[in-house]
Amino acid sequence: MKIRGYNWESLNRHGITTEMIDEVFDGSMISFFLIEEGDETCEMLVGYTLQERLLEIGLRYVESDAV
């Protein structure tokens, strides 16, 4: 999976860095669940950083032909 972009407004408001997001992706204790919003689906990922900060990360996927 390649990250195409971030919601910088949300990251800055909560003091989250891209490195913290990478730590959650690399972690072993991660939970996934889906949220359906109209025609779009958002996958939520919940996990801990190395400093034991719990993060909830929303993922939206881009179709390869839409890039």
Side-chain angles (χ1 to χ4, degrees), residues 34-67:
L34 296 177
I35 296 176
E36 300 211 15
E37 300 173 342
D39 293 338
E40 295 187 12
T41 300
C42 180
E43 184 175 78
M44 301 303 293
L45 178 137
V46 179
Y48 287 95
T49 66
L50 294 176
Q51 299 299 315
E52 297 184 359
R53 184 167 178 181
L54 182 64
L55 297 185
E56 180 181 74
I57 302 167
L59 303 172
R60 294 192 190 276
Y61 296 98
V62 178
E63 299 294 329
S64 59
D65 59 346
V67 175

Side-chain angles (χ1 to χ4, degrees), residues 7-17 53:
N7 180 339
W8 290 108
E9 180 182 336
S10 181
L11 293 180
N12 292 334
R13 180 180 29 195
H14 296 289
I16 305 299
T17 65
R53 184 167 178 181

